[in-house]
Amino acid sequence: IPAGTKRTVSTKDVQPSAVGQGAIVLFVTGEWGGQLYQETFQLVPTGNSYYVHNGIFRVGNNNPFNSPPEATDVSKAFIQHYFTTYDTNRENLASLYRNSSYLSHEGTECSGPQAIVARFNALPKVQHDGNSLTVDVQCVNGTQIVFMFISGQMSIDGANPLKFAQMFQLFQEGGGYFVGNQIFRLNYGG
């Protein structure tokens, strides 16, 4: 995108990071140079300010799967399980969350497995288009934390597809992972 191109922010979401220690997760959607963009950051406090510990920025849909080799299997398995379960039986997602888990869905915030699944169940039936997904992944401390950013299309009650973006911060626990942070937004652009 050429320098000086107008950038319009449509939505901003901020939530405490499940990493703790005052860290926050920031999620932004908008339009830049006539294209939809999404970005997410994990900001960690240092003195009186913050530094970017993780950051993912995406414009367009080129290179649809970006993952370090050590996180490829984890991210692909999570994506397959999450979207299939969300589209067919949201109750079964409760095991992915802990009492410390945060969700921001279109600006509505909640925490804990019961509240998160209740939020999901209050929403209309959707179908995610697995072929439209773009995925960007970063790891922290090996694969102890997997920071995942996903964009794509979904249909609500069979209507025309809508663009969405969401981030997940997965934390290793035993032999699996749980969702510590999740932010979801439909992306309408500017």
Side-chain angles (χ1 to χ4, degrees):
I1 295 178
T5 303
K6 183 179 178 188
R7 179 177 171 177
T8 305
V9 173
S10 301
T11 63
K12 286 186 282 190
D13 293 280
V14 178
Q15 63 182 222
S17 172
V19 167
Q21 303 170 359
I24 59 173
V25 176
L26 173 66
F27 186 85
V28 179
T29 65
E31 189 174 328
W32 196 2
Q35 296 185 59
L36 297 178
Y37 83 92
Q38 307 89 34
E39 58 190 332
T40 188
F41 303 97
Q42 178 163 249
L43 305 173
V44 177
T46 176
N48 293 329
S49 62
Y50 287 85
Y51 71 92
V52 175
H53 192 275
N54 298 86
I56 299 174
F57 178 86
R58 177 170 282 278
V59 176
N61 292 330
N62 59 336
N63 198 9
F65 191 84
N66 298 300
S67 176
E70 65 271 20
T72 298
D73 290 344
V74 169
S75 52
K76 284 183 176 181
F78 174 80
I79 290 165
Q80 175 67 35
H81 173 71
Y82 178 84
F83 288 109
T84 299
T85 306
Y86 189 94
D87 291 352
T88 59
N89 187 354
R90 297 173 190 171
E91 288 290 328
N92 288 340
L93 291 173
S95 64
L96 293 177
Y97 301 93
R98 303 294 176 268
N99 289 337
S100 60
S101 299
Y102 293 98
L103 168 70
S104 177
H105 187 278
E106 285 292 296
T108 299
E109 297 182 7
C110 55
S111 63
Q114 293 80 19
I116 291 170
V117 170
R119 171 68 181 156
F120 292 157
N121 285 334
L123 300 169
K125 181 173 175 46
V126 301
Q127 183 66 45
H128 291 88
D129 177 2
N131 294 324
S132 73
L133 297 181
T134 60
V135 180
D136 296 279
V137 179
Q138 293 182 355
C139 296
V140 180
N141 297 332
T143 57
Q144 288 180 7
I145 300 173
V146 177
F147 196 66
M148 190 179 308
F149 186 78
I150 301 168
S151 60
Q153 293 185 20
M154 60 183 248
S155 296
I156 299 173
D157 289 328
N160 289 333
L162 298 169
K163 294 185 184 301
F164 74 91
Q166 69 181 318
M167 66 75 60
F168 296 92
Q169 188 162 232
L170 307 179
F171 291 81
Q172 197 170 46
E173 180 181 70
Y177 288 82
F178 72 90
V179 177
N181 293 90
Q182 180 179 354
I183 301 175
F184 172 93
R185 282 285 183 172
L186 292 171
N187 194 348
Y188 300 109

